Amino acid sequence: MISEILQGLFKHVDSFLMSCLLFTMLVGLFVLYSASGQSFDRVSAQLVNIAVALSVMWLTANIPPQHLERAAVPIYVFGVILLIGVALFGDVSHGARRWLNLGITKIQPSEIMRIAVPLMLAWFFSKRERSHRVSDFVIAAALLLIPVALIIKQPDLGTALLISASGFFVLFLAGLSWRFLIGGAVAIGALAPIFWSMLHDYQRKRIEILIDPSQDPLGAGYHTIQATIALGSGGMTGKGWLNGTQAQLDFLPERTTDFIFAVFGEEFGMIGNLMLLTLFSLIIIRGIMIASQAKSTFTRLLAGSITLTFFTYAFVNIGMVSGVLPVVGVPLPLISYGGTSMVTLLLGFGILMSIQTHKKLVASG
C-alpha cells in the first residue's frame, strides 16, 4: 500500500535527473556552510529554499506538457505587462529598478521571463513547424527582444543575457540558418561601438577589468583578483573543507552567492572542480536526452532550451569566477545561496520531467 502511494507520488519524477539534482544541492549545502562562516542559519534558510523549489518542481512535473503549451501565451503576456509595470512603478534599490511592489509582497518579474520566453518561442515555432520562413524568425526575435530590452533598462545585464540565451537556443534548435548566425555575429561586431556607448559606467568598467584586473585592485578588480587567488591556491586537491583562507579570512566577496565556486575550488581543488563539472555534465546530458526523445516540436524546443540555459548558467558563473568572463552577477546553479534562482531552476527541471514522464504515458496509451 505504501509503495503504491510512493509510486503514485513520484510517477512523474525522473529518477536519474532527480538523483543528480539532489546530490548537487547537497554539495552546495556543504560549500555554503563553509562559505557563510559556518552559519547554520544560512544553511537552514537554503534548506527552506530547496524545499520550496522541490515542491514547485514536483507540481510542474505533474502538469502535462499540453497544458504548458496552452499557458505559454498568457504567461508571456502577463510577464511583459509586469515588466512594463516595473519600468513605470517599480521600486528602486541600489540604483536599479527591478522589483514590483504588490502590497502583500514584492516580485521580480524578470525571473518569470526566464521560463516565459522559451515557453512562448517554443509555442510560436510549434504552430509553424511545417515550414519556417525568415519572417517567422524575425517575429520570434522581436518576441525575445521586447522583454530583454525592458530588463536591460532596469538595469539587469546578467538576467538579460540569460534570457537572451534561452530565447536564442529556441531559435537555433528551430533551425536558424548558419548564415543568419554568422551575419548576426558580424553585425554585433560592427555595432560594438554603439553598444559600448549604451552601457552604464559600471558595466564598461567590468569589461575593462576583465582585460586587466590590476588597474583597480581594491575596487572593480577586487572580486576577480580574490577569486583567481582562491582558485589557484586550491591546487590539485584543495585545502580541505572549512580551511579555505580566502573565504574564512573574509577576503573573498559575495562568497555565498556569485563567487561560491571560488570557495569550492579553494577547498576541494582541481579534483573537486572536475567532480562538480561531472555532476553538471550528467544533468546536461540527461536534459539533452529528454529533448532528443521529445514527441512534439514544442516539447523538443522547450526541453532543449531549458537544458542549454542551465549550461549557460554554469558556464557564465565559472567563467566569471575564473576571470575569463566579465562579472555579471550570475549565480552558480544549484550551489549558490538564493531562493529565486533555485525555484526558477527547479521549475525548469520540473518541465523536463513532465516532458519525459508524460511522453511515456502517451506512448503506453
Side-chain angles (χ1 to χ4, degrees), residues 216-262:
D216 190 7
L218 299 179
Y222 183 78
H223 291 66
T224 302
I225 292 172
Q226 295 302 321
T228 52
I229 290 174
L231 287 173
S233 64
M236 184 62 66
T237 58
K239 297 179 178 177
W241 186 48
L242 306 178
N243 292 324
T245 53
Q246 294 300 112
Q248 302 303 325
L249 298 179
D250 206 22
F251 286 108
L252 188 64
E254 308 294 341
R255 58 185 181 273
T256 63
T257 52
D258 296 348
F259 285 84
I260 198 169
F261 182 71

Side-chain angles (χ1 to χ4, degrees), residues 164-223:
S164 298
S166 68
F168 169 78
F169 291 137
V170 177
L171 269 66
F172 177 75
L173 294 171
L176 183 63
S177 171
W178 283 102
R179 289 179 299 173
F180 287 100
L181 293 175
I182 296 172
V186 172
I188 291 173
L191 295 172
I194 298 176
F195 292 145
W196 179 262
S197 65
M198 295 172 61
L199 292 175
H200 293 265
D201 290 339
Y202 77 92
Q203 292 170 340
R204 286 197 291 267
K205 189 69 173 178
R206 287 177 177 178
I207 297 175
E208 293 171 355
I209 288 299
L210 173 65
I211 300 172
D212 182 16
S214 63
Q215 65 178 274
D216 190 7
L218 299 179
Y222 183 78
H223 291 66

Side-chain angles (χ1 to χ4, degrees), residues 328-352:
V328 291
V330 174
L332 185 63
L334 305 176
I335 303 294
S336 293
Y337 175 81
T340 304
S341 61
M342 186 70 72
V343 170
T344 305
L345 283 166
L346 292 194
L347 173 62
F349 286 120
I351 293 174
L352 282 179

Side-chain angles (χ1 to χ4, degrees), residues 121-138 140 170-177 179-180 297-298 300-301:
L121 295 181
W123 172 87
F124 177 80
F125 282 111
S126 71
K127 301 304 179 185
R128 293 159 176 79
E129 59 183 326
R130 292 184 180 179
S131 61
H132 292 156
R133 296 169 295 185
V134 174
S135 59
D136 293 333
F137 288 100
V138 172
V170 177
L171 269 66
F172 177 75
L173 294 171
L176 183 63
S177 171
R179 289 179 299 173
F180 287 100
T297 299
F298 172 77
R300 176 177 61 84
L301 295 178

